Amino acid sequence: MRIFFFCVVFFCSAFAEDLPDSTRLFKLNEIVVTGNRLLTESRKLSSSVQVLDSLELHSVNGSSLADAVKFQHGIFLSSYGSTGALQTASLRGLASDYTLILIDGERFNTFQIGTVDLGIFPLSNVERIEIVNGGNSALYGADAVGGVINVITKHAVTENSLSAKYSLGSFNFQSYGIEAAQIVHKIFLRANLSIERAANNFPFTFSDGLQTQQLKREGADYSSKIFSGEISSSVTENIFSRLSLRLSEADRGQPNAVMNFIQNNRARILDKNAFLTFKTDWSHSQENIFSLQSSYQYKFQNYSDPALRIGGKNVDAVYYNQMISLTPSVQTSFDGGNKLFAGIELVRGIISSNELYPRRRDQFSAYVSSQFEIQNIFNAVFYPAVRYDTYSDVNGDFCPKIGINIGVTSFENIRIRASYGKNYRIPTFNDLYWIEGGNPNLHAERSLSGDVGIIGSVDWIGKFEAEAAYFSIQTKDKIVWKPMGGTLWSPVNISAVSSTGIEANVRSSFFKDGIIIQWNYTLTNSIKTSADVPNDATQGKRIPYLPKETAHLLFTGSFQNVSCNIRYSFSSFLFTQADNNPQKILSAYSTIDGNISFQFSALGVRSTAKLEINNLTNEEYTFILNYPVPLRNYRFSIQTTI
Amino acid sequence: MKKYVLLVCSLILFGCSKESPADSSNELPANTKGVFILNEGGFGKVNASLSLYIPDSHKVYQNIFETANNRSLGDVANDMILFDNKGYIVVQNSDKVEVVSLETKKSLGVMSLPGKTPNKILIISTSKGYITNLYKQSVTAFNPSTLAVLKDSIAVGNNPQSMAYVNGKVYVCNSGYGSDNTVSVINPTNDSVVKAIVTAAGPSEIGVDKNGKVIILCTGYSDWSNSANDTPGNISIVDPAVDSVVQTIPFSLSQYGHPMKMSLSTSGDGFTFTNKGITKFNTTSGTITAESYIPKNGYTLKVDNDNGELYVGDAMDFVQNGLMYRYSKQGNLQDSMTVGIIPGTIVIAK
């Protein structure tokens, strides 16, 4: 194993000196949009924003959003299995339903359930991903408590192109993709179709305490189709409009936890999603830009299990979610680089299901985000923001946030930053309107979050960048489903959680980005602070299924037309019980993933071949008790572009 | 070697602490008598456990199956009975029945029932027993001595749960979680269903009283979307001579809600959880004798026929260790103790 590691390092470094000039900048100088809704250098923001650009998205193994974000600091990604299995992201020690997912700035979480399944969100049409660690309800409203993941889709077309991609891999994985981009009379057109499927019949070891056997996962097959299309155009010199449509379907087995040697998995889950967005920007002047964004989202989900009959009927739940939004906004620049972004948001969400009462939620929101810069001995940037949300069915909230970023003018390389704000998570439709026990009297969970950190960079031999932060998120009135007598369970605002921790990230690049080494570390203490029952034995205990520590080491080496990536991940053990029973844990684990890709051209056709290896060391581990994940597995892909 | 390399890499590269939780140990009791508490454990948590309470010493031994066998009992243990100095434990999500020695607490055998979701168990002889399969609308016949399956699937009603053996017949409650209203009668000589007795909705617990009558707790029907459609539960008394309901003890919805769980004494008294707490009834007189015998709710209850004491299991919030309370015959609290997660079955070994 070590020999392989050093061979790869040697191979990449030996050729790196000949690397042509890189166009990549310091990562911390990247212009991001998600931090405060204004285009800002990430190093000047008041808290951490991690960016995965197109180069980094190409460097990851796998093809889902989950595959892309799992190596970032502050994030813990949990998986129920292999490709296409439910995968969710927790930020800063909170559960995954405290993570807000955006597509091009538009909310993707439905009102029905707070969690977004990142395992069935393909990267095929993704240009970049911005991850904001920490609470951000002052900018994005409900559910932005642990953080925000903003998926920015491919936009501008610079040339006509046609590309095709084919992949195959372990456990009968296959995928096909085609993308076309065309410019016709200042109208930019892009279309992308991607199809994936996998049997996911991977081997794993199961022990019932008496015997240990090698089994193959059953009932975990997966297939998905996604189409995305876009038309954009400059209608006039100062008006730019964009219409995009995303259609997806995922059909997959939903296997149970493995409890014995014979699996009896017949449950399936079918997801269909349509996401239509329209945005137009009008540059009234250099200082003022008016925008109008609108979206419509339709989500259908069907969970069925013919092996489970209750009251003479098979379990067969269907959920129809619709959301429509209209968001006018204005961005204004003042003297000295000061900026202001203001907007209102009108949203209607509708749920229809055989498990929930049919309900509708109307949301009205207004927000202002601003950036004021003071330049003297110090360069200080202030980020006051405030947002007010009101809902037709539950109380909204008024969420202010203040952020600051300070550097010494004569020494801009090191900056100190801090932010503090109020956030909230809104009760889901499931919490409120579930037929068997939903509680319409719930109110929003309240949260206060803050962080303080340092960020710096130095250009010496190579480029070194580092950032570190201490964070704290205090959540109260947390919604927990409790037994109400008999077989009835109902949610109540009862619990409280404190999540504090440290994040650190160091990135170094040498030989003009020919070698990039990145290390990050997250220490999280997520503690249940409330006593929800008399003499509550879970008070003061860590939240189960969230590790105390995670760390990643990422290596990228590239020379001319060859590049390789190695990713090492570590997670400390996980408690599986709320009382932190030390005998009921999932062990700590370390994994290594890697890939090598080769680019070549012939007859005007550019091609890239890529070989991926996951879990190189065959580590046996799980994120969820008795939900195995694959051992070493491979994937090969080839992409050609005309 | 591989793990060693990874560990060293982790330490060098990250300096992460290798914090490990402290070990805890559980003592293994020599007692064969006492009150066994079967703790279901959390769904999907594989943490079902067995506790033993010794009333004389007020001592509780926790997690005795895992201590004796060095492995988990499994996921969601739903029922336990004593037979032939052995304990038969049904572990629903693990699709198995564990047989343990009451003396050593060690496993004497495992009967695997793949995909059956076994729920409740009944043994009628050294060569015949039955298990209800909760989501399969069936009952499996087995040999308790050899743990061999005798008849894989005897079709009954929806979501079958508790069973009783009376007058040479096996009675199976088809609860349907309130949507069924029948009790299947099985002839054990040929394992065929000979009758379906119509009861109130949701027959879920069953026993036999001192008069030889079959006593059935019916929870009634709950319509979660419209409580106006709810139907009340009752105690249905079946005469096994005619296999039909001959008397009922009604529980009005407005007063008692839906009754849950039941324990019968040999003196003719019965106990169930209602909105009033523990409600006491008498199967001979066919009346409720104490609306709120003990103003306490819980998840399971068991009467001790020797002294009339009542044991009540409280699952608390269903995620942490539960509690068990011991009440005197007069309803006074005698003792309380921590047991395992979701105490769901109490068995008294004399």
Side-chain angles (χ1 to χ4, degrees), chain B residues 157-177:
Chain B
N158 294 314
N159 307 110
Q161 294 189 304
S162 294
M163 294 173 289
Y165 181 57
V166 188
N167 268 15
K169 291 173 283 189
V170 174
Y171 295 79
V172 182
C173 290
N174 302 311
S175 80
Y177 289 109

Side-chain angles (χ1 to χ4, degrees), chain B residues 296-316:
Chain B
K296 167 76 189 166
N297 239 303
Y299 189 64
T300 189
L301 74 176
K302 181 72 180 179
V303 63
D304 185 337
N305 282 312
D306 282 1
N307 51 26
E309 289 183 333
L310 197 62
Y311 293 91
V312 178
D314 183 348
M316 306 271 283

